[in-house]
Amino acid sequence: MLWQLMENSLEELKLLQTVLVLLTTNTVVHDEALSKAIVLCFRLHFTKDNITNNTAAATVRQVVTVVFERVVAEDERYKDAVDQPAAVQGNINADAPYWLVGMTEMTRTFGLELLESVLNDFPQVFLQHQEFSFLLKERVCPLVIKLFSPNIKFRQGSTTSSSPAPVEKPYFPICMRLLRVVSVLIKQFYSLLVTECEIFLSLLVKFLDADKPQWLRAVAVESIHRLCVQPQLLRCFCQSYDMKQHSTKVFRDIVNALGSFIQSLFLVPSTGNT
């Protein structure tokens, strides 16, 4: 009945309120019914009405939190929660939905926001369960590296006429949320993702290159700062990378990149006048 009301654009705000009550007051909604409830909220999030849109976004955030709270409260029943982040990741990557069946639209910005929230609020779930650890290594990390690509390739002021394909420009909302996800992955899951974190840190350092847009460099500095204020994490970088013969000298590269970035801020551009 709720699904039919959604498809007919009837009582949309009350629909969202009803879904939230159903999911927060009991645990009888799970599996396919839970999937449809989440899809219902997502689809209402992409309506043209701003009030419905914003209410649905808030409802989606609450529903995602509720599902993971179930995992914490009742550890032996966590199938729905395993399906949920995998489904969100798939939608960010524009894959065909396999659990959130009925999804017609999804933005990377909203998907990355949800992913960051789940990773930041429920790290123990991903660390304690092999299924979630597998999702991090095999689904989330490749997605993050893929989204890094246009930001790494883009060079400010360069022309793309000689290249076979135009280089996609960095998009601030995606970059900002992407770097937040990377920060959470490194801070919360470094012990699980040592190899992946080496890649993330190397890519993050490249964001400080002089040929990158200034706003992108500033966002990268903020992300690096979140990591550098944790002495234990810096010690791990040195032990896992810099002190090993064939590993990337991550800590050294971070220091050098920050030094170059700071120096560039004090350079006065030449005006050509004497």
Side-chain angles (χ1 to χ4, degrees), residues 73-139:
E74 193 176 355
D75 205 44
E76 65 272 15
R77 284 182 54 87
Y78 60 95
K79 178 182 181 298
D80 290 331
V82 171
D83 288 335
Q84 183 175 267
V88 171
Q89 176 273 333
N91 283 297
I92 296 173
N93 204 27
D95 296 337
Y98 69 93
W99 188 65
L100 295 178
V101 178
M103 286 281 292
T104 57
E105 189 174 357
M106 179 65 168
T107 62
R108 286 179 173 176
T109 50
F110 191 48
L112 288 170
E113 179 186 337
L114 292 175
L115 188 59
E116 179 201 356
S117 174
V118 167
L119 294 174
N120 195 50
D121 294 342
F122 302 97
Q124 70 278 17
V125 173
F126 290 87
L127 292 170
Q128 293 173 3
H129 298 292
Q130 291 184 353
E131 292 86 348
F132 287 95
S133 300
F134 177 83
L135 283 177
L136 276 184
K137 293 180 71 71
E138 301 298 327
R139 302 294 296 274

Side-chain angles (χ1 to χ4, degrees), residues 193-203 241 247-248 250:
L193 305 171
V194 175
T195 302
E196 291 81 2
C197 286
E198 181 179 2
I199 298 173
F200 295 152
L201 289 164
S202 298
L203 293 174
Y241 310 128
S247 294
T248 306
V250 169

Side-chain angles (χ1 to χ4, degrees), residues 242-267:
D242 292 66
M243 295 176 64
K244 292 188 177 180
Q245 186 175 1
H246 299 293
S247 294
T248 306
K249 309 306 178 186
V250 169
F251 183 74
R252 181 200 64 188
D253 291 346
I254 289 175
V255 172
N256 290 341
L258 288 174
S260 298
F261 173 74
I262 293 171
Q263 288 180 1
S264 70
L265 298 179
F266 292 95
L267 294 177

Side-chain angles (χ1 to χ4, degrees), residues 48-62:
K48 295 181 180 180
D49 183 81
N50 287 333
I51 296 177
T52 302
N53 184 307
N54 294 331
T55 304
T59 305
V60 168
R61 295 185 186 98
Q62 289 180 270

Side-chain angles (χ1 to χ4, degrees), residues 136-159:
L136 276 184
K137 293 180 71 71
E138 301 298 327
R139 302 294 296 274
V140 174
C141 289
L143 170 66
V144 170
I145 293 172
K146 176 183 176 180
L147 293 179
F148 258 118
S149 180
N151 305 296
I152 295 298
K153 293 178 180 178
F154 180 80
R155 285 174 170 77
Q156 188 167 251
S158 64
T159 59

